[in-house]
């Protein structure tokens, strides 16, 4: 059922109050097609968990929330299982399903908010794993023709927090299901960030995928604001990937700048470190600000407007450019 003048505040993790001209959820592809027939040329916006979106104004169109459920095993051999998930499943529930069934590959991606269907949009990643590492294919409804198309790993053109759906196919498809290839004998990936330290504190020397998942959940819970308590959309900016010359220039003043090798001889810098060094970490402007433990996360403490947060991000981008010569790019989708 389509509802009018619908408050989107509970449907975006920033907790921004904006209204959609029309809103409906869909739980089957038939319902989705039926809703698209009632579009009346309105602009469309598909929502999963609303955890990667900043609304800066009311949406003068039709917002459709994906609630396509169902997780099924569609194949297996001695070493792998193939699992297909409805796009409206909650990502972390899918991870827990895999961990409980001893299917490996997504445990490092525990506790990322949002839906399974949005996971390929920006090739979600954390602790050294991206979904492209376990991704087989997805099905998506082509809005213009109403046909379901299938995309394999190559066709998704995954990059660092990127995919073809954020670039040349933007707004053309709604993802309806995603299929993953998971391991039965696992490669444990514990080398990244604070995982090793957390495992030591847990007294674990030979970690299972459940131990990795628990460690990641513990680390994330300790340093990331819970959107149910403080509005946010995770990292607001991507980590910049720059030429070595840019790093060398910054190192003249900041010897200890963290940096990591990236494809094509480039280097990845930690955007959070740059923002912290520039003095923004913990800065609060009445109802919004930069989180005190994680400089990459912009927050809505109560009743901030989307434009407040957008303007803050613009100021940070300008300051980082001026101080370090690095252009930060927003990761969050701005509407
Ligand atoms: P939404 O915010 O609902 O949508 C995001 C975009 O995708 C929108 O443009 C929307 O129109 C589009 N979209 C959504 N579903 C579909 C669909 N089925 N078909 C077509 N288009 C669609 N991200 C990471 O990569 N790594 C992290 O570690 C991480 N940590 C986070 C921590 C916190 C506390 C928060 C709040 C966010 C974090 N994020 C992280 C960002 C976010 O969780 C992911 O990007 C997630 O995949 C977004 O899912 P969603 O369902 O909420 O997407
Ligand atoms: P962290 O461990 O404090 O590390 C800071 C940054 O350095 C990270 O952004 C990470 O880049 C990079 N890094 C650390 N160790 C690395 C290594 N061994 N090789 C390459 N790069 C390395 O980061 P954090 O902020 O606590 O986040 C932990 C993980 O969760 C990260 O992977 C981060 O991307 C993810 N996360 C993402 C979001 C989001 O919204 N996108 C929000 C919270 C956390 P990468 O970011 O490229 O991994």
């Amino acid at each position: 059922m389509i509802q009018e003048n619908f408050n989107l505040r509970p449907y975006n993790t920033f907790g921004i109050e904006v209204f959609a001209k029309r809103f409906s959820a869909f739980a089957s592809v038939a319902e989705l097609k039926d809703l698209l027939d009632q579009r009346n040329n309105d602009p469309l916006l598909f929502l999963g968990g609303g955890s990667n979106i900043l609304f800066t104004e009311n949406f003068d169109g039709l917002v459709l929330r994906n609630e396509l459920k169902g997780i099924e095993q569609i194949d297996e051999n001695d070493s792998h299982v193939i699992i297909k998930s409805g796009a409206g499943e909650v990502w972390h529930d899918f991870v827990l399903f895999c961990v409980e069934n001893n299917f490996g590959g997504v445990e490092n991606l525990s506790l990322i908010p949002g839906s399974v269907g949005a996971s390929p949009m920006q090739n979600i990643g954390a602790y050294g794993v991206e979904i492209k590492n376990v991704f087989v294919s997805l099905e998506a409804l082509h809005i213009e023709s109403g046909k379901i198309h299938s995309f394999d790993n190559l066709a998704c053109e995954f990059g660092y927090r990127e995919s073809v759906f954020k670039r040349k196919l933007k707004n053309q498809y709604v993802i309806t299901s995603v299929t993953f290839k998971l391991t039965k004998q696992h490669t444990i990936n514990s080398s990244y960030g604070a995982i090793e330290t957390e495992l030591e504190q847990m007294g674990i020397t030979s970690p299972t995928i459940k131990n990795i998942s628990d460690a990641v959940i513990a680390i994330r819970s300790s340093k990331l604001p819970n959107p149910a308590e403080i509005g946010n959309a995770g990292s607001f900016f991507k980590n910049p990937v720059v030429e070595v010359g840019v790093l060398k220039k910054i190192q003249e003043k900041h010897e200890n700048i963290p940096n990591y090798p990236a494809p094509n001889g480039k280097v990845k810098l930690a955007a959070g470190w740059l923002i912290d060094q520039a003095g923004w970490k913990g800065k609060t402007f009445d109802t919004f600000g930069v989180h005190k433990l994680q400089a990459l996360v912009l927050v809505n403490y109560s009743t901030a407007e989307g434009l407040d947060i957008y303007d803050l991000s613009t100021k940070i981008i300008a300051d980082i450019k001026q101080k370090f010569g690095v252009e930060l790019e927003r990761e969050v989708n701005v509407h």
Side-chain angles (χ1 to χ4, degrees):
M1 191 191 68
I2 297 183
Q3 290 170 269
E4 294 190 359
N5 198 28
F6 188 86
N7 188 349
L8 293 172
R9 186 169 188 175
Y11 294 92
N12 71 98
T13 61
F14 255 123
I16 303 289
E17 182 159 289
V18 287
F19 290 81
K21 186 169 90 176
R22 297 192 295 153
F23 175 94
S24 181
F26 59 93
S28 71
V29 172
E31 267 178 36
L32 167 62
K33 286 186 173 176
D34 187 42
L35 286 162
L36 289 175
D37 285 342
Q38 302 173 58
R39 176 183 176 182
N40 306 338
N41 286 329
D42 266 354
L44 283 177
L45 174 65
F46 289 96
L47 260 191
S51 64
N52 202 15
I53 278 194
L54 175 67
F55 286 112
T56 54
E57 57 184 2
N58 290 337
F59 188 76
D60 190 23
L62 177 59
V63 174
L64 295 176
R65 184 168 200 265
N66 193 325
E67 292 179 3
L68 296 168
K69 298 289 183 189
I71 299 178
E72 53 173 334
Q73 180 170 327
I74 55 173
D75 204 358
E76 77 175 308
N77 60 24
D78 288 347
S79 57
H80 289 91
V81 286
I82 307 292
I83 306 287
K84 181 175 178 177
S85 170
E89 288 287 346
V90 171
W91 172 262
H92 183 59
D93 291 349
F94 171 73
V95 171
L96 292 181
F97 166 88
C98 294
V99 170
E100 275 157 24
N101 285 282
N102 201 26
F103 303 152
V106 287
E107 55 282 357
N108 291 49
L109 303 175
S110 296
L111 215 59
I112 297 181
S115 59
V116 167
S119 65
M121 293 294 297
Q122 70 158 12
N123 178 28
I124 57 167
Y127 298 101
V129 174
E130 296 174 316
I131 74 142
K132 74 169 188 196
N133 304 133
V134 290
F135 177 93
V136 176
S137 63
L138 62 78
E139 286 177 337
L141 184 110
H142 185 232
I143 294 162
E144 188 75 26
S145 66
K147 298 236 160 63
I148 298 274
H149 294 166
S150 181
F151 291 78
D152 65 11
N153 207 313
L154 211 60
C156 289
E157 296 180 17
F158 289 125
Y160 182 60
R161 305 289 191 268
E162 278 293 351
S163 78
V164 73
F165 301 103
K166 274 187 98 172
R167 295 191 300 263
K168 63 179 187 241
L169 298 183
K170 197 175 160 112
N171 297 333
Q172 292 186 34
Y173 282 91
V174 50
I175 295 167
T176 54
S177 71
V178 188
T179 300
F180 301 92
K181 183 177 182 181
L182 301 156
T183 55
K184 288 182 173 175
Q185 285 98 39
H186 314 306
T187 307
I188 298 292
N189 184 342
S190 64
S191 60
Y192 206 90
I195 296 184
E196 290 287 5
T197 319
E198 186 64 35
L199 288 170
E200 267 168 42
Q201 279 166 12
M202 290 160 66
I204 287 158
T205 44
S206 308
T208 62
I209 58 170
K210 168 92 169 72
N211 297 144
I212 297 288
S213 174
D214 288 346
V216 169
I217 290 171
I219 302 165
R220 293 183 72 103
S221 307
S222 72
K223 62 194 279 197
L224 284 171
N226 177 353
E229 289 155 16
I230 302 177
N232 77 92
S235 306
F236 200 90
F237 306 98
K238 291 182 196 173
N239 285 328
V241 174
V242 300
E243 301 292 341
V244 173
V246 176
L247 170 66
K248 292 230 162 90
K249 186 106 190 31
I250 301 174
Q251 279 172 329
E252 287 169 12
K253 281 194 189 154
H254 305 272
E255 263 185 89
N256 299 326
I257 176 173
N259 63 92
Y260 305 93
N264 307 320
K266 295 188 175 182
V267 281
K268 182 180 74 179
L269 307 179
W273 185 90
L274 296 170
I275 298 168
D276 188 2
Q277 290 296 308
W280 289 96
K281 193 171 174 178
K283 278 226 161 139
T284 301
F285 306 87
D286 195 13
T287 55
F288 61 98
V290 180
H291 193 249
K292 62 178 190 297
L293 297 179
Q294 174 49 283
L296 256 188
V297 179
L298 305 190
V299 290
N300 170 16
Y301 288 110
S302 53
T303 54
E305 308 228 334
L307 273 180
D308 295 334
I309 289 166
Y310 185 80
D311 289 348
L312 172 61
S313 73
T314 304
K315 286 186 184 127
I316 293 174
I317 291 171
D319 194 41
I320 299 303
K321 176 82 181 157
Q322 197 251 322
K323 289 194 167 112
F324 299 101
V326 173
E327 187 98 35
L328 291 184
E329 202 186 318
R330 294 179 185 87
E331 179 179 304
V332 168
N333 300 280
V334 178
H335 283 276

